[in-house]
Amino acid sequence: MREAHDVWQVRAAEAALMALLPDGALMERAAAGLAATCAGLLGRVHGSRVVLLVGSGDNGGDALIAGARLARRGARVDALLLAPQRAHAGGLAALRGAGGRILPADALGFPAAAHDLVAAADLVVDGIVGIGGRGGLRAPADDLARAAAQSRAVVVAVDLPSGVDADTGAVAAEAVRADVTVTFGTWKPGLLVDPGASYAGAVELVDIGLQPPAPVLRAPQHVDIAALLPTPARETDKYARGVLGLAAGSERYPGAAVLAAGSALRAGVGALRYLGPRAVADAVVSAHPEVMAGSGRVQAYAVGPGLDTGEEARGRFAAALDGGVPVLVDADALTLLAEAGPKALEGVPGALLTPHAGEAVRLLAGLGESPTRADVEAERLTWAVRLAAGYDATVLLKGSTTVVADPRGEVWVNPTGTPYLATAGSGDVLTGVAGALLAAGLTPAEAAVAGAYLHGLAGRIASDGDVPCAASDVSAALPAAWRAVREAGAPDEE
Ligand SMILES: NC(=O)C1=CN([C@@H]2O[C@H](COP(=O)(O)OP(=O)(O)OC[C@H]3O[C@@H](n4cnc5c(N)ncnc54)[C@H](O)[C@@H]3O)[C@@H](O)[C@H]2O)[C@@H](O)CC1
Ligand SMILES: [K+]
């Protein structure tokens, strides 16, 4: 599990550690890790050209001290100071002592000369701001960030790409686009959640000895998901594995039911009961003969894909909420829920809501909040947490990064996925998978986390690196995703 901590937690953990260590020791550890990564990226350090972008805080200090280490190994290191009067004094002395050049960014006929230096560099170190950054980059840092993006140099961000909000991943204006981010002590939420995550490149975590408390955000890995996946026992039967009631599809949208059903079957339901109009039931059963049409005992319901919002759909939604079992609410059922408000979920033993940003806006309106879709996409953690608290339900907010929040405020971010999953029917597949896991007895949060993970992984497999895929292909790739996760979770063979 990757664990991320917010700025407040990082600062508290740093303070506790610094009290035990000699002055500057922590920054030396951070800079040593940073320099080692830079050296690895350069291959040959001697003779290489390194440019440091140095802001006014300790993030710039890290860059300067790492730069000194590289200079001692023969790199030509130029530090461009954005705020010469306030640059880290110890870092400046270290770099000077190692033979590096120190240049106020505006003293060279900026921006032309600074641009030339950045353009000719092999490696650019972004030490403009770290966890002390507020808002988007201001001039002239924004201009240097653009120059770094245009240069052929490898761009290494110190702690996090400057301009990315450490706690939310929001990018207010310009931010550095890093190839690699070297982060210290723990992950920051902004490195895991878009848009920030898409600026970070490959992230390397350097252990500096921090001992932070429980994380504010977790990103599961294969082994964590493997531990959640149900395995049928020898003496199991289909009821013990979990029966899912699927209220999906309508005469207008029969395909949603077919896709969700196929995906639930591949995600290990013991049995699937389809609830909906005759014509749709026929289509579902003819695509998946395993499916039972009609109501009966179930361990969970999944309701919403292609449901429609007319009278008949409302009846199916109400019946699912009345079933006394956990319910996954998606798509059209989210529209109905937004209309009815959180009280509609009272008495449901475990609800999982799976909105995209547009549906989240509707649900938030039901709570008296009025963010736009863009607001939700810019600060998805904040809004997912708010929805989970307001509806007293687990919320899986879909999008370029999918996040899961439970009503107690625990939050996860899904690390799998591909932009090719932005295709019609993709959400129906996710509903099938997460619904099956809910029926198998996973908690709503576990079902959401594991469902999103498998769905994202299946998407990657179906798009085979870089090939468009249909939602049916994603569904068909679920067994391969399951297998990959299972294999990673299996104990090593001797
Ligand atoms: N405290 C410690 O002992 C350690 C801190 N470390 C480093 O220290 C960093 C935090 O240092 P600081 O607290 O000094 O803060 P930062 O260096 O992140 O930034 C603070 C400075 O940036 C300026 N600034 C803020 N937002 C800006 C914006 N949008 N555009 C331009 N300038 C902006 C502020 O005026 C302030 O002077 C971490 O990210 C990490 O890199 C590491 O060395 C590990 C140890
Ligand atoms: K930085």
Side-chain angles (χ1 to χ4, degrees), residues 78-129:
D78 290 316
L80 287 173
L81 306 189
L82 286 154
Q85 309 310 322
R86 292 190 293 143
H88 192 271
L92 288 176
L95 183 60
R96 216 174 268 124
R101 274 206 303 174
I102 292 162
L103 311 161
D106 57 1
L108 287 171
F110 181 84
H115 279 198
D116 288 350
L117 269 179
V118 169
D122 299 306
L123 188 133
V124 172
V125 178
D126 156 32
I128 303 172
V129 277

Side-chain angles (χ1 to χ4, degrees), residues 50-458:
V50 175
V51 172
L52 315 175
L53 309 180
V54 179
S56 54
D58 284 353
N59 195 252
D62 296 338
L64 287 165
I65 292 175
R69 286 176 172 257
L70 296 171
R72 282 201 290 275
R73 293 177 61 180
R76 202 183 95 187
V77 181
D78 290 316
L80 287 173
L81 306 189
L82 286 154
Q85 309 310 322
R86 292 190 293 143
H88 192 271
L92 288 176
L95 183 60
R96 216 174 268 124
R101 274 206 303 174
I102 292 162
L103 311 161
D106 57 1
L108 287 171
F110 181 84
H115 279 198
D116 288 350
L117 269 179
V118 169
D122 299 306
L123 188 133
V124 172
V125 178
D126 156 32
I128 303 172
V129 277
I131 59 173
R134 290 287 166 272
L137 286 181
R138 297 190 283 270
D142 55 349
D143 189 60
L144 286 174
R146 279 192 293 274
Q150 283 157 15
S151 93
R152 53 168 195 90
V154 180
V155 178
V156 179
V158 182
D159 214 13
L160 73 155
S162 301
V164 170
D165 186 274
D167 286 347
T168 63
V171 175
E174 197 81 31
V176 168
R177 285 205 177 266
D179 298 300
V180 176
T181 295
V182 180
T183 201
F184 306 126
T186 179
W187 287 72
K188 318 299 179 295
L191 297 172
L192 292 167
V193 180
D194 274 344
S198 68
Y199 285 76
V203 179
E204 287 192 25
L205 177 64
V206 172
D207 182 5
I208 56 169
L210 285 194
Q211 294 194 313
V216 291
L217 180 68
R218 295 179 169 86
Q221 308 295 298
H222 275 30
V223 286
D224 306 306
I225 302 302
L228 295 176
L229 297 184
T231 310
R234 285 171 72 96
E235 64 282 2
T236 200
D237 61 46
K238 65 187 179 197
Y239 297 104
R241 291 187 67 192
V243 181
L244 177 68
L246 177 65
S250 53
E251 291 186 11
R252 254 168 81 199
Y253 308 111
V258 175
L259 266 175
S263 306
L265 290 167
R266 291 189 185 98
V269 281
L272 185 61
R273 293 188 191 278
Y274 175 73
L275 309 156
R278 184 80 246 161
V280 185
D282 288 348
V284 171
V285 173
S286 96
H288 307 292
E290 310 83 339
V291 174
M292 303 182 281
S295 55
R297 220 182 99 213
V298 299
Q299 274 86 44
Y301 282 107
V303 52
L307 187 76
D308 228 331
T309 51
E311 271 319 301
E312 188 277 341
R314 283 167 198 271
R316 277 194 280 165
F317 179 48
L321 294 184
D322 272 352
V325 295
V327 182
L328 183 157
V329 184
D330 184 35
D332 288 337
L334 291 169
T335 306
L336 298 178
L337 177 61
E339 247 178 68
K343 65 180 184 311
L345 297 178
E346 279 169 16
V348 174
L352 168 56
L353 319 182
T354 60
H356 54 54
E359 289 157 346
V361 165
R362 261 172 258 156
L363 288 170
L364 284 159
L367 298 176
E369 306 254 18
S370 48
T372 63
R373 200 184 161 122
D375 294 335
V376 171
E377 274 159 0
E379 299 224 18
R380 42 188 58 255
L381 288 177
T382 311
W383 294 110
V385 168
R386 193 129 351 142
L387 273 175
Y391 281 85
D392 193 20
T394 297
V395 171
L396 183 164
L397 177 59
K398 300 186 266 203
S400 62
T401 22
T402 290
V403 302
V404 174
D406 82 2
R408 295 168 309 159
E410 297 248 6
V411 194
W412 296 262
V413 56
N414 182 47
T416 64
T418 157
Y420 287 115
L421 279 171
T423 184
S426 177
D428 309 336
V429 175
L430 176 61
T431 289
V433 179
L437 296 172
L438 203 56
L442 274 66
T443 66
E446 290 169 343
V449 167
Y453 196 96
L454 289 166
H455 177 253
L457 198 55

